[in-house]
Amino acid sequence: MDTTARILAFITNRFPQAEITDTEDIFSLGYINSLFAMELVMHIEKEFTVTIPNDELRIDNFRTAKAMTELVDGLRSAVVR
Amino acid sequence: MTQQLAPTLDRAYARSFVDSEIRPEADAWDRAGAIPEELLDRIADAGLWAPFLPVEIGGSGIGMVTLGEIHEEVGRGCSSVRSLLTVHTMLSWALQRFGTAAQIQQWGPALATGRTLGAFCLSEPGAGSDTAAITTTAVPHKGGWLLNGLKKWTTNGQRADLFLVFAKGPASTIALLVPSTAPGVLVNPIDDMLGTRSSMLAEIAFSDVELGPEALLGPSGFASGMVLTGTLDLGRYSVAAGSVGIIQACIDACSAYAAERRVGGTALRDLPLIQAKLSDMVTDVRAARLLLAEAGRLKDRGDAATIMATWIAKYFASTAAARHASEAVQVHGANGCSPEFPVGRFYRDAKVMEIIEGSTEIQRMTIAAEAYRKWEP
Ligand SMILES: Cc1cc2nc3c(=O)[nH]c(=O)nc-3n(C[C@H](O)[C@H](O)[C@H](O)COP(=O)(O)OP(=O)(O)OC[C@H]3O[C@@H](n4cnc5c(N)ncnc54)[C@H](O)[C@@H]3O)c2cc1C
């Protein structure tokens, strides 16, 4: 599975009723609370073995699966470099 | 020159520390309404304030499963001391997770040794479970922050050196590190609580407290709620551990008492109704300990499932502790109501566990949401 699919799988596992695409704003769905935000960040860090620095914990980085994918890819390439 | 080997910080180590330094005095501290300064120093000497902090900043780098075991042991001896560890743990963890390198350098080493003690300031006279209702404000001011508001029920507020204060910021709730010595901070002791009576609670007023930009801990904006969520998660984990300790303390007290006390020529321990109480305590302590260990293992793996696992462990352990502490008093009869036996303290302390770090009602509301998730073994 690619990064986007893995992120989407985590979200739909939590919210089976959600039918989301990779460009859909997950915050507009109405069920994101701080508990899920924390779970999402922890999950991304573990799943992709990255550490998300404080200044990347911005809402725009987490709005869509696509944005999260870009964040992960950016952090991974920073590690490789 | 003899070189001293650092002890292994584990359950056995904490157990012997608690049995020699804490358990014998806990009732006296409960009556005095304070933990003596010497004990705080001994906890520091024993390296138990924040042993999960990394070795680089002076901690011992122990994992969360072991931390849970240590907090269980401390909770078995004295819930008030465990409460001091809990709030210190919350602040220290938040610093390590969300702090900048400069913040970690400034506060980390002193928190690791316990030279600086931390406390957690969220609740207010008008806001407890409803954390969105806090009215303390932090407004941008001279490049830093101006803090105003009143916090209540701050565990160790009377003694702590550094407060983690949650306030309404420009866009959302933010967390600030506030030294107790900052001008405008006024600490008012709260005495005579029902339980955890020696945990040195305080009401803390912040009046035009000027703070530098470095006081802000963690991100502002959408993720600032994570500082609170993460910090409460650690607090909940510690309270779950402490609740397991209370149940174990009830078992220890009841098994000793039931072996001695005789009614109608029979030892209490041989009466089926008393055995029923003890069997439930033994079963629940094991279940609670397993739930706690599972939450700890998930934390050590960085698995997001730890957050729900911790809610469940705390809900189970705290409600079981309240139930069994009540039965422990029952087993002791009038003696259970007297200051000569510790079970009265367990009973009062256990009730507090159902209120702090997410009350039983809030736990149930949160855990119910789990039922609607897809279950994956
Ligand atoms: C000994 C002790 C130590 C403490 N230490 C600290 C500390 O260090 N730092 C800190 O910030 N706070 C601390 N607290 C405060 C504690 O966090 C709060 O008491 C707790 O969050 C509950 O808030 P409350 O007391 O305002 O009760 P409320 O929120 O007013 O709740 C009252 C009752 O209503 C229930 N309730 C609330 N909302 C709902 C709902 N939506 N649906 C159904 N029922 C609901 C609650 O479960 C409770 O039974 C401490 C409290 C105690 C007793």
Side-chain angles (χ1 to χ4, degrees), chain B residues 191-260:
Chain B
D191 294 321
D192 255 337
M193 293 297 284
L194 170 76
T196 59
R197 288 173 63 85
S198 47
S199 60
M200 301 184 283
L201 258 57
E203 181 178 83
I204 305 174
F206 300 93
S207 312
D208 287 333
V209 179
E210 292 191 348
L211 301 163
E214 72 287 351
L216 178 70
L217 184 68
S220 56
F222 117 94
S224 62
M226 278 175 39
V227 180
L228 181 57
T229 307
T231 306
L232 284 171
D233 174 63
L234 250 277
R236 216 166 274 135
Y237 182 64
S238 171
V239 171
S243 301
V244 177
I246 292 176
I247 309 173
Q248 185 61 54
C250 290
I251 296 172
D252 296 346
C254 289
S255 59
Y257 189 79
E260 287 288 315

Side-chain angles (χ1 to χ4, degrees), chain B residues 196-375:
Chain B
T196 59
R197 288 173 63 85
S198 47
S199 60
M200 301 184 283
L201 258 57
E203 181 178 83
I204 305 174
F206 300 93
S207 312
D208 287 333
V209 179
E210 292 191 348
L211 301 163
E214 72 287 351
L216 178 70
L217 184 68
S220 56
F222 117 94
S224 62
M226 278 175 39
V227 180
L228 181 57
T229 307
T231 306
L232 284 171
D233 174 63
L234 250 277
R236 216 166 274 135
Y237 182 64
S238 171
V239 171
S243 301
V244 177
I246 292 176
I247 309 173
Q248 185 61 54
C250 290
I251 296 172
D252 296 346
C254 289
S255 59
Y257 189 79
E260 287 288 315
R261 179 77 179 177
R262 303 182 76 79
V263 289
T266 312
L268 282 185
R269 61 173 291 164
D270 295 324
L271 302 175
L273 285 174
I274 301 296
Q275 290 172 339
K277 297 184 199 301
L278 281 164
S279 66
D280 287 358
M281 289 182 197
V282 168
T283 307
D284 281 350
V285 83
R286 291 212 185 183
R289 199 174 273 139
L290 283 171
L291 288 172
L292 179 78
E294 175 64 3
R297 272 192 291 276
L298 291 166
K299 284 191 201 311
D300 284 334
R301 278 197 250 136
D303 192 320
T306 188
I307 297 181
M308 184 52 72
T310 302
W311 278 100
I312 292 170
K314 194 271 180 178
Y315 172 55
F316 185 85
S318 62
T319 51
R323 217 164 41 239
H324 295 310
S326 167
E327 290 290 47
V329 173
Q330 196 71 16
V331 168
H332 283 67
N335 279 327
C337 305
S338 84
E340 283 160 48
F341 288 82
V343 288
R345 172 167 55 89
F346 303 158
Y347 178 61
R348 292 181 283 100
D349 290 347
K351 186 64 216 171
V352 171
M353 303 309 124
E354 291 195 305
I355 293 170
I356 56 173
E357 310 297 347
S359 65
T360 297
E361 289 71 23
I362 301 297
Q363 311 267 325
R364 297 178 97 167
M365 286 157 57
T366 309
I367 294 168
E370 185 70 0
Y372 303 98
R373 291 181 177 187
K374 219 190 286 174
W375 188 73

Side-chain angles (χ1 to χ4, degrees), chain B residues 3 9 19 39 83 94 165-166 199 211 307 311 328 346 375:
Chain B
Q3 210 183 350
L9 298 190
D19 284 339
L39 197 262
S83 293
V165 181
F166 289 83
S199 60
L211 301 163
I307 297 181
W311 278 100
F346 303 158
W375 188 73

Side-chain angles (χ1 to χ4, degrees), chain B residues 94 103 145 163-167 172-178 215-220 224 227-228 231:
Chain B
Q103 285 171 322
W145 302 93
F163 301 127
L164 181 61
V165 181
F166 289 83
S172 56
T173 298
I174 60 172
L176 296 162
L177 292 165
V178 185
L216 178 70
L217 184 68
S220 56
S224 62
V227 180
L228 181 57
T231 306

Side-chain angles (χ1 to χ4, degrees), chain B residues 17-74:
Chain B
F17 179 83
V18 168
D19 284 339
S20 64
E21 309 290 337
I22 294 181
R23 216 159 57 100
E25 302 299 327
D27 284 319
W29 299 334
D30 188 61
R31 280 192 284 279
I35 301 295
E37 205 58 32
E38 301 94 85
L39 197 262
L40 306 182
D41 289 341
R42 276 192 218 122
I43 297 173
D45 294 343
L48 291 174
W49 278 113
F52 59 94
L53 287 175
V55 175
E56 307 85 80
I57 56 173
S60 300
I62 66 166
M64 285 293 154
V65 171
T66 310
L67 186 76
E69 291 172 349
I70 291 174
H71 284 206
E72 178 198 325
E73 290 298 331
V74 174

